[in-house]
Amino acid sequence: MCTTCGCGDTELVPVELHEKILAGNDRAARHNREHFLEAGVLALNLMGSPGAGKTAVLEATARAAAPKGWRLGAVSADLATDNDAVRLVKAGIPSHAITTGQACHLDADLVHRSLHGIAWQRTDVFFIENVGNLVCPAIYDLGQAANVVVLSVTEGEDKPLKYPTMFLAADLVVVSKCDLIPHLDFDMAALDDAIARVMPRPRVLKLSARTGQGLDQWVAWIEEQRLAHGLVGKVAGLAAHVHAPKP
Amino acid sequence: MHEYSLVEALITRVEAEVHRRKALKVHGLSVRIGELAGVDAGLFQTAYDTFRAGTVCAEAPLTMRRIPASWSCPSCRAVIPRGAPLRCDACAAPARLDDGGDALTLDGIDLEVP
């Protein structure tokens, strides 16, 4: 009602909000993050172009991390097929496929629902293999402890300059398929330079899933993340995941 | 094309505010989109125009404020030139993204209330 004279006319009210449009997703992501950390699980969000080698990196991780005795798990997202999840299971990583249909990215709620299909609480390191895409996944918090962007040497040195938001979101860039470098006109120094122009704290690992190059450093980085998040020595699997996301 | 899911989230939030305030009509809404928000403003507008039909936003124009990305040194506040490595030449500190460069924000709604 009009507050001037009480005449019953409607009023036009400007409502100041200044809220993140993805506030709902961020709430669901906080819920996922709380559960992961309470259960002693390091969750890593792997992003990158289709064909960057995300699945191959994880297959190689299963071999390289075996001496650590970590229990690994994964959800693997694609628009169609469960091919990547099947590959990961064959590599020894219990995995659940998220088939997104036409959705070009994962969001926190999709990840939350997918967790009901896998015993993620009984893992030490849990990979969320995002939909292959260098654009959309970058802005969705999933509740991960860290973001890893996998970039293959066949994609070109200027990818970080073309897709800055993705690399700004990254905690680590894994340069994959490095065994192919002798066959390419690829300039690693140019890639390092491009990354330094979009990441204020660039962290880059050069890796080949085929030859094993860089896998020790990759496993060491994961261990560093477990330490940084207070997960070393924490007994996993204590937290039950039974309630819905908080509103 | 995540702009469609962003617009869905945007309209859902506006609907909640309309419900909460028992508003009769939405007259407009304003959003802020930073250069590094990962959102294409044109696609966002297209997605909004597509999805608002039949919703509380059907007659509400969208005002977009676009914020360019700029970087500076958190220590000496030196401006990092556009396109340069994100490290301060003077103090070697990692650069910090200035406010708004990655914003993706619903700033306000104009509501008609009883």
Side-chain angles (χ1 to χ4, degrees):
Chain A
M1 191 192 310
C2 164
T3 52
T4 307
C5 61
C7 64
D9 284 353
T10 58
E11 274 189 294
L12 191 60
V13 178
V15 179
E16 298 275 334
L17 290 171
H18 305 292
E19 282 182 17
K20 289 178 75 176
I21 291 174
L22 285 174
N25 178 78
D26 291 353
R27 275 193 296 275
R30 278 197 298 277
H31 170 80
N32 291 348
R33 184 169 288 112
E34 283 169 12
H35 275 293
F36 282 131
L37 295 179
E38 282 170 10
V41 177
L42 179 77
L44 298 175
N45 178 21
L46 258 77
M47 299 181 282
S49 305
K54 297 182 291 298
T55 310
V57 167
L58 295 185
E59 289 171 322
T61 306
R63 297 190 296 273
K68 291 283 186 184
W70 295 333
R71 295 165 299 175
L72 305 179
V75 285
S76 186
D78 271 306
L79 272 63
T81 86
D82 60 356
N83 290 355
D84 289 354
V86 169
R87 278 175 61 184
L88 294 178
V89 169
K90 279 184 185 163
I93 303 178
S95 302
H96 180 75
I98 305 176
T99 307
T100 62
Q102 294 306 311
C104 51
H105 60 272
L106 288 176
D107 62 30
D109 192 50
L110 260 176
V111 170
H112 178 90
R113 280 183 274 136
S114 75
L115 292 177
H116 295 152
I118 187 166
W120 62 274
Q121 300 98 328
R122 295 188 181 87
T123 66
D124 300 296
V125 182
F126 192 83
F127 299 103
I128 303 166
E129 186 184 352
N130 218 310
V131 179
N133 183 339
L134 269 183
V135 183
C136 312
I139 65 169
Y140 290 86
D141 184 3
L142 305 179
Q144 72 282 354
N147 280 328
V148 178
V149 174
V150 180
L151 174 72
S152 68
V153 294
T154 54
E155 294 177 62
E157 304 92 341
D158 60 352
K159 268 291 189 298
L161 301 176
K162 292 175 175 171
Y163 299 89
T165 304
M166 174 59 76
F167 290 86
L168 180 58
D171 296 291
L172 175 74
V173 177
V174 170
V175 184
S176 62
K177 307 185 188 181
C178 283
D179 54 295
L180 294 177
I181 290 176
H183 310 288
L184 303 168
D185 294 324
F186 180 80
D187 183 347
M188 189 64 83
L191 175 63
D192 286 335
D193 180 73
I195 289 172
R197 291 170 196 272
V198 293
M199 282 178 78
R201 290 180 174 79
R203 188 86 189 263
V204 183
L205 275 181
K206 281 92 179 181
L207 186 147
S208 165
R210 186 174 289 265
T211 67
Q213 175 194 344
L215 283 172
D216 288 348
Q217 291 94 320
W218 165 235
V219 170
W221 181 84
I222 294 172
E223 182 73 319
E224 179 190 315
Q225 294 301 308
R226 294 183 71 235
L227 271 168
H229 289 87
L231 301 175
V232 174
K234 192 163 183 172
V235 180
L238 293 180
H241 183 244
V242 292
H243 62 87
K246 291 165 191 163
Chain B
M1 281 292 281
H2 56 297
E3 283 79 6
Y4 282 87
S5 70
L6 291 174
V7 163
E8 189 180 14
L10 176 70
I11 292 177
T12 300
R13 179 64 186 89
V14 174
E15 283 173 342
E17 201 63 25
V18 166
H19 181 72
R20 194 169 81 81
R21 294 173 183 268
K22 298 181 173 55
L24 303 170
K25 189 174 177 183
V26 182
H27 281 259
L29 52 152
S30 57
V31 300
R32 206 163 11 122
I33 299 179
E35 182 181 349
L36 289 174
V39 173
D40 182 278
L43 286 176
F44 193 83
Q45 182 71 57
T46 302
Y48 179 71
D49 290 341
T50 305
F51 272 127
R52 67 169 155 159
T55 74
V56 296
C57 296
E59 295 177 52
L62 175 69
T63 304
M64 271 189 283
R65 188 153 69 96
R66 303 181 67 181
I67 312 292
S70 61
W71 295 82
S72 58
C73 173
S75 178
C76 71
R77 304 197 182 283
V79 173
I80 309 294
R82 196 171 173 84
L86 299 177
R87 185 165 288 270
C88 179
D89 277 343
C91 13
R96 184 172 57 199
L97 183 62
D98 296 331
D99 282 351
D102 58 353
L104 185 53
T105 310
L106 170 59
D107 276 344
I109 317 172
D110 291 329
L111 292 179
E112 184 178 335
V113 296

